[in-house]
Amino acid sequence: MTSLEEELARVKPSGETFLTVGVFDGVHRGHRHLLDLLKRQAARAGCVPGVVTFRNHPVTVLRPEAPVRLITTVEERVRLLQELGIETVAPITFTLDVSRVTAREFVAMLQRYLRMCGMVVGPDFALGHNREGTPQVLRGVGTELGFTVAVASPYDDGGIRVSSTATRNALAAGDIATASNLLGRSYALQGEVVHGEGRGGSLLGYPTANVAVDHDLLLPGDGIYATWFHVDSQRYQAATSIGTRPTFGLGERTVEAFLLDFRGDLYQKTVRLEFVERLRDEVAFDTAEALKRQIEIDVRETRRVLGAAA
Ligand code: RBF
Ligand code: MG
């Protein structure tokens, strides 16, 4: 058995499945349009709706020189898909070996291991080696092997392109409103609170929770953001800084949240930062004093923004 087959064999669907295949990064509004069709088709055929999703982005394997950072971790994608009623989610690892599997071999595996009775694909979809498995080719294979192929209409939002790439571009520019609009929910980052340098508390009087984020995740562009900090089913207002802290000489890029109304130990907790609005660029201040005065303003701005949004 190949490792792809092993991953597929681990999934135990509760019945025959209607499937779609893709990264589904962000699980954005365009994805949900396709998933709605998938759920309808599955119900009509008496099958379970399922998604085969790549853990890693295929582009990072096919063109390592052009790395793509993800909007959502595979764990978040699985959770979001399940919340949408996708009963069977099969995460698979994209490798060079997987890239060489023909479309026909691939769908035969989906039939064998996931009991696929039908597929839903997007209009620009192509599967398998050299993207040979276009919707038309898949239909032909389906007729032979015994599964149906439905093609979703392009998702149209009054001419706005809803895509993972558009969402990544908005995030990189710090445009949280556009990113959240494309996603159809507030953009958020998840991570674990780790130890920082301790300078925020001792030198600045603004101790921060440093949030360690998966290395293959995209971060919003460097800058200061008004955020909600979710931990232990509570949420707190937080002024969050993403950047290299040039005031103190360039360091590693960190995500640091100053919680406005909370003092206490958060180390090792898994937290979620919900981004509401970008407040400003990160600045190299001449003195710690000057930065401190600016953070005071950031805190006021954060209260204003989140007070209005609450
Ligand atoms: N560091 C900078 O070098 N420039 C900034 O403009 C800056 N703005 C910040 C704004 C807020 C609200 C917070 C919480 C931190 C900011 N920092 C900034 C990061 C700060 O330097 C860092 O938290 C401490 O040095 C501890 O690592
Ligand atoms: Mg800190």
Side-chain angles (χ1 to χ4, degrees):
M1 246 209 269
T2 63
S3 47
L4 170 61
E5 289 177 290
E6 274 169 22
E7 283 183 308
L8 292 173
R10 245 177 264 147
V11 184
K12 303 267 189 275
S14 60
E16 286 195 292
T17 57
F18 224 97
L19 298 178
T20 187
V21 181
V23 182
F24 290 93
D25 189 22
V27 194
H28 57 58
R29 287 195 284 128
H31 293 140
R32 295 211 289 273
H33 164 75
L34 185 130
L35 296 170
D36 282 342
L37 175 66
L38 176 74
K39 287 187 277 184
R40 283 200 305 274
Q41 294 278 339
R44 183 137 59 122
C47 295
V48 170
V51 170
V52 176
T53 185
F54 299 109
R55 296 175 185 279
N56 53 328
H57 201 294
V59 166
T60 60
V61 173
L62 298 173
R63 296 196 298 131
E65 72 283 0
V68 172
R69 288 189 188 267
L70 293 168
I71 305 160
T72 40
T73 62
V74 68
E75 291 81 11
E76 287 174 281
R77 278 180 279 144
V78 170
R79 178 178 58 78
L80 289 164
L81 290 166
Q82 286 172 340
E83 281 173 9
L84 290 171
I86 306 302
E87 268 183 58
T88 298
V89 182
I92 60 174
T93 309
F94 192 88
T95 62
L96 278 179
D97 282 339
V98 171
S99 78
R100 293 187 189 109
V101 174
T102 65
R104 192 194 173 82
E105 285 168 340
F106 192 83
V107 293
M109 284 183 207
L110 299 183
Q111 274 198 306
R112 175 159 181 207
Y113 295 103
L114 301 181
R115 303 170 62 190
M116 178 174 74
C117 67
M119 285 189 94
V120 168
V121 298
D124 308 324
F125 184 81
L127 178 84
H129 189 55
N130 292 335
R131 297 178 59 82
E132 64 198 356
T134 59
Q136 212 164 17
V137 166
L138 291 175
R139 275 213 172 113
V141 178
T143 308
E144 228 182 287
L145 301 184
F147 63 86
T148 61
V149 178
V151 182
S153 60
Y155 179 63
D156 182 34
D157 183 36
I160 297 170
R161 223 180 114 58
V162 178
S163 68
S164 300
T165 303
T167 309
R168 287 188 198 106
N169 291 342
L171 286 175
D175 184 350
I176 301 302
T178 297
S180 294
N181 179 35
L182 295 170
L183 292 172
R185 65 173 184 279
S186 306
Y187 166 73
L189 259 185
Q190 233 172 257
E192 189 187 320
V193 177
V194 296
H195 286 272
E197 289 161 64
R199 180 173 54 209
S202 60
L203 180 68
L204 298 171
Y206 290 97
T208 59
N210 290 41
V211 180
V213 171
D214 259 25
H215 289 292
D216 50 4
L217 269 198
L218 177 84
L219 293 178
D222 288 357
I224 316 308
Y225 295 86
T227 60
W228 290 107
F229 187 100
H230 295 259
V231 60
D232 295 338
S233 9
Q234 301 279 334
R235 69 171 197 184
Y236 302 95
Q237 300 191 341
T240 294
S241 156
I242 299 181
T244 49
R245 293 148 295 149
T247 303
F248 304 99
L250 293 194
E252 288 248 292
R253 178 164 286 104
T254 56
V255 178
E256 302 187 25
F258 170 68
L259 279 69
L260 274 51
D261 307 299
F262 178 87
R263 293 293 170 277
D265 188 357
L266 293 168
Y267 289 121
Q268 290 184 351
K269 285 194 189 281
T270 296
V271 302
R272 198 163 61 86
L273 271 176
E274 179 187 344
F275 285 73
V276 178
E277 197 176 304
R278 189 174 201 273
L279 300 176
R280 64 174 176 89
D281 287 344
E282 185 178 45
V283 173
F285 288 95
D286 291 332
T287 62
E289 254 328 295
L291 169 57
K292 206 172 150 169
R293 280 194 297 275
Q294 178 59 50
I295 294 180
E296 206 180 303
I297 297 168
D298 298 334
V299 165
R300 272 206 302 277
E301 280 293 284
T302 298
R303 271 197 211 288
R304 184 184 62 74
V305 167
L306 299 183

